Amino acid sequence: MQKALLAAALMLSLCVPTYAAQYTNHGDNRFDSPDIVAEPNHAVKGAGKEQKPVLPITLTGEHAVYDSVSGDFHASGNVVVKQGNQTLLTSYVEGNMKTGEVWLKEGGSFEEQGTISKAEWAHYNFNSKTGELKKMSGKNGKDLFYSPHAEITPEKIVMDEGGTVTRCEAVKHPKCLEIQAKIFEIYPGEKMLARDVKVFVRGKHIYSRDYWESNLAEKNKERILPHIGFKDSDKGVYLNISYERPFGDKDTFYADLNYYTKDGYKPMFGWEHDERNYKITLVDGWDEDDDEWVKKQRDFRIDYKPHYFTKRIPVTYSGYYERGLWRNEDTAAESWHTEYGAFLNHDRIYMFRKQTSLDLTVGKKWTRESEEDKGTSSTNVYYATLNQRLAPKWNTWVGYYREDFTTDLFTYDQPDMPIELRNGLQYQFDKKNAFAIINRYDLDSNNQYETIYRWTHKMCCWQFILEYTNEHYKNDHSIELKYEFNVF
């Protein structure tokens, strides 16, 4: 807690360090000025070792007064206090540079690295690293925190009079999902503990538990995401529960639990191990592509992440290898499926003040089926996508994709056509509503393949997607409705 008062959890940072050894008395140094800039010494020596230099603090306001003899200061009227990347905004602040104490008796807001927090009253001592907050609220990323009172210690912040955590910004109705606890303990940048926990959905108590712990790192959070939808007459209504459970920094267990009224229960389970240069995935379960279900058993895949040949050339190379026992539900075809590939990817090319961008990929893929006699099949791969920002609310793109078929047993994971031209147009009405048209053209047969019309409406914690597809290639159409939980 030496530098950031609430760090990653609350980021409620008061931007004044300890100045006990950084001002000297040169006569009468009292002054009345709208700007106070304090430049500390490059290093402060003490206890036999040299401490790290302290960043300067800048205080501005319509009226600011500092007494270098006593160390007292106060400022009022559009006050801005800055230290490094920390910013404090308030109407009135007072404190003492020598004792390291700061009071926000009229409250204020605090900003650091995109995090904004507010308190109606706050006190903090930078020497003892202790403080107190009253009627505080904070936002860190997607997480929203509320508490009537909090105590600050050098190691943690304790919301000791109860508090809540949510990602729902709803005001006119109860929160979609809310966690309440009698005590929250926040270890900045590390974890958050809660005791006597209650979980609420739309204001209704769902369950309770004595203890709850959450890692504040986004990648280490347990996630449960429900999805409800309707996918044409062939699939019917479906329910999907996506679950992720990290184990340390590198391993994650996940499950996609799918139930269709027409196709039944189609779960997928997997384990992912993520290293700096590669990622290993083990899966067992059902994958779906259009109208085909494929059961993957003991499927192993390793992805080699993109690496540069040299820093001077904006091209990366990557690859993958996959092997597993696949079974087609409709045809009953079963085969040990082996597939691997290698790619060259150019860094995104920006043009015309970044209003236009181009993505380029070339590569080669190989596929072998144990139940086929033709051995290993291969295909060259060419991808090119041009994106154009037409206006603040308008975006368009066009893409060229070439990839031949490599297996006759499974249409899953195969291209819909060997040469495809795809273009799209999207209009963003506002923060909640967007409409897009995506057109796919078969360049091999010179025929229209399909046109997709998609409308997305976002709510506080859910999003609704309506998608209509005109399937020109088979003179048919389909419609899909999705209702998804999109915050945790």
Side-chain angles (χ1 to χ4, degrees):
M1 300 258 325
Q2 181 164 348
K3 189 173 178 182
L5 177 58
L6 299 188
L10 255 29
M11 298 304 229
L12 187 53
S13 302
L14 300 179
C15 310
V16 184
T18 303
Y19 275 77
Q22 299 187 14
Y23 286 94
T24 58
N25 184 2
H26 297 291
D28 187 1
N29 287 330
R30 294 181 177 87
F31 57 87
D32 189 338
S33 169
D35 297 282
I36 299 175
V37 179
E39 292 288 348
N41 300 327
H42 289 289
V44 180
K45 295 183 178 180
K49 62 180 181 180
E50 187 174 291
Q51 300 178 357
K52 293 181 179 180
V54 181
L55 294 175
I57 176 176
T58 301
L59 185 151
T60 63
E62 295 177 5
H63 181 76
V65 176
Y66 169 67
D67 188 335
S68 63
V69 177
S70 65
D72 293 336
F73 73 90
H74 65 267
S76 60
N78 297 320
V79 178
V80 179
V81 184
K82 289 187 176 182
Q83 183 194 33
N85 56 14
Q86 303 171 335
T87 303
L88 179 154
L89 305 173
T90 185
S91 59
Y92 181 78
V93 62
E94 63 182 55
N96 186 284
M97 294 292 188
K98 293 185 178 181
T99 63
E101 292 186 297
V102 176
W103 287 269
L104 298 180
K105 297 181 179 180
E106 297 180 3
S109 63
F110 309 83
E111 301 179 7
E112 182 175 3
Q113 298 179 350
T115 299
I116 302 175
S117 301
K118 295 181 180 180
E120 293 190 12
W121 186 96
H123 167 255
Y124 187 67
N125 187 299
F126 281 86
N127 288 341
S128 63
K129 308 297 184 294
T130 60
E132 182 182 8
L133 304 170
K134 295 181 180 180
K135 294 183 179 180
M136 55 78 62
S137 62
K139 182 177 182 180
N140 177 41
K142 295 181 179 180
D143 293 325
L144 305 173
F145 299 83
Y146 305 91
S147 180
H149 185 268
E151 292 285 346
I152 304 168
T153 72
E155 296 83 18
K156 60 186 178 182
I157 303 115
V158 181
M159 297 160 62
D160 53 2
E161 295 183 6
T164 65
V165 177
T166 184
R167 288 190 173 182
C168 178
E169 299 180 353
V171 177
K172 296 182 179 180
H173 64 75
K175 307 294 184 184
C176 297
L177 179 62
E178 185 176 39
I179 298 172
Q180 297 182 7
K182 289 185 178 180
I183 297 177
F184 279 100
E185 297 180 6
I186 301 171
Y187 294 79
E190 298 180 12
K191 60 184 178 181
M192 179 168 62
L193 310 179
R195 306 180 190 279
D196 294 328
V197 178
K198 294 182 179 180
V199 178
F200 293 81
V201 175
R202 292 300 292 260
K204 295 183 179 180
H205 180 213
I206 303 301
Y207 71 93
S208 301
R209 57 193 302 181
D210 295 332
Y211 178 82
W212 175 72
E213 180 176 340
S214 174
N215 193 304
L216 293 178
E218 187 70 23
K219 66 179 181 179
N220 289 327
K221 284 189 175 181
E222 186 178 34
R223 296 179 177 88
I224 301 178
L225 300 176
H227 309 269
I228 303 172
F230 171 81
K231 192 172 183 179
D232 61 53
S233 58
D234 293 330
K235 294 292 187 294
V237 177
Y238 66 86
L239 172 65
N240 166 263
I241 303 294
S242 297
Y243 174 79
E244 289 186 12
R245 175 64 167 90
F247 292 88
D249 295 332
K250 297 181 179 181
D251 295 285
T252 302
F253 169 79
Y254 65 90
D256 282 321
L257 308 178
N258 304 288
Y259 179 80
Y260 289 81
T261 56
K262 298 293 182 67
D263 293 335
Y265 183 50
K266 301 291 184 183
M268 169 64 79
F269 303 94
W271 186 281
E272 182 179 286
H273 179 75
D274 196 353
E275 294 283 352
R276 183 174 65 90
N277 293 322
Y278 63 89
K279 179 175 66 175
I280 296 176
T281 306
L282 301 174
V283 301
D284 196 294
W286 294 92
D287 255 343
E288 189 263 345
D289 181 19
D290 197 12
D291 296 328
E292 181 176 8
W293 283 105
V294 171
K295 178 70 177 293
K296 291 185 176 183
Q297 303 174 69
R298 302 185 294 278
D299 190 87
F300 165 85
R301 179 178 174 121
I302 180 169
D303 289 273
Y304 187 74
K305 297 180 180 180
H307 285 71
Y308 288 98
F309 291 98
T310 173
K311 294 181 179 180
R312 297 181 180 181
I313 302 176
V315 176
T316 60
Y317 59 94
S318 60
Y320 73 95
Y321 175 88
E322 182 176 11
R323 179 173 171 80
L325 182 61
W326 289 17
R327 178 168 61 86
N328 189 306
E329 184 182 49
D330 294 330
T331 65
E334 188 173 83
S335 172
W336 279 99
H337 177 86
T338 304
E339 181 179 320
Y340 48 96
F343 305 93
L344 295 177
N345 310 278
H346 198 289
D347 287 354
R348 176 165 288 182
I349 302 170
Y350 290 99
M351 299 168 283
F352 310 113
R353 298 182 179 180
K354 293 190 175 182
Q355 297 298 307
T356 305
S357 64
L358 178 64
D359 297 314
L360 298 173
T361 296
V362 297
K364 194 175 183 67
K365 292 173 62 175
W366 294 266
T367 301
R368 181 181 179 86
E369 303 290 353
S370 64
E371 298 303 312
E372 289 185 337
D373 298 329
K374 63 179 183 179
T376 301
S377 301
S378 65
T379 177
N380 294 323
V381 175
Y382 307 94
Y383 303 144
T385 304
L386 182 67
N387 302 279
Q388 176 65 51
R389 185 177 179 84
L390 300 175
K393 294 186 176 183
W394 288 93
N395 289 289
T396 186
W397 65 93
V398 59
Y400 174 86
Y401 311 96
R402 179 161 187 170
E403 178 181 345
D404 294 329
F405 304 99
T406 54
T407 177
D408 297 328
L409 288 180
F410 307 101
T411 60
Y412 171 82
D413 204 27
Q414 296 292 298
D416 293 328
M417 60 203 89
I419 310 176
E420 176 183 353
L421 180 68
R422 185 179 302 186
N423 63 282
L425 180 67
Q426 176 178 286
Y427 178 72
Q428 188 78 38
F429 293 93
D430 49 40
K431 292 182 179 181
K432 295 184 177 181
N433 296 279
F435 180 74
I437 302 176
I438 303 165
N439 189 62
R440 303 179 65 192
Y441 188 82
D442 188 345
L443 289 174
D444 185 56
S445 61
N446 292 321
N447 288 315
Q448 191 80 0
Y449 187 79
E450 68 180 14
T451 305
I452 303 170
Y453 304 88
R454 181 184 300 136
W455 172 55
T456 303
H457 175 69
K458 294 183 178 180
M459 293 159 276
C460 55
C461 295
W462 297 82
Q463 68 178 10
F464 173 79
I465 300 174
L466 173 61
E467 186 172 289
Y468 170 80
T469 302
N470 188 350
E471 299 166 324
H472 305 284
Y473 67 99
K474 60 179 181 180
N475 195 25
D476 199 358
H477 65 273
S478 64
I479 188 168
E480 183 171 6
L481 308 176
K482 298 180 184 179
Y483 196 52
E484 302 176 338
F485 198 57
N486 62 2
V487 292
F488 280 90

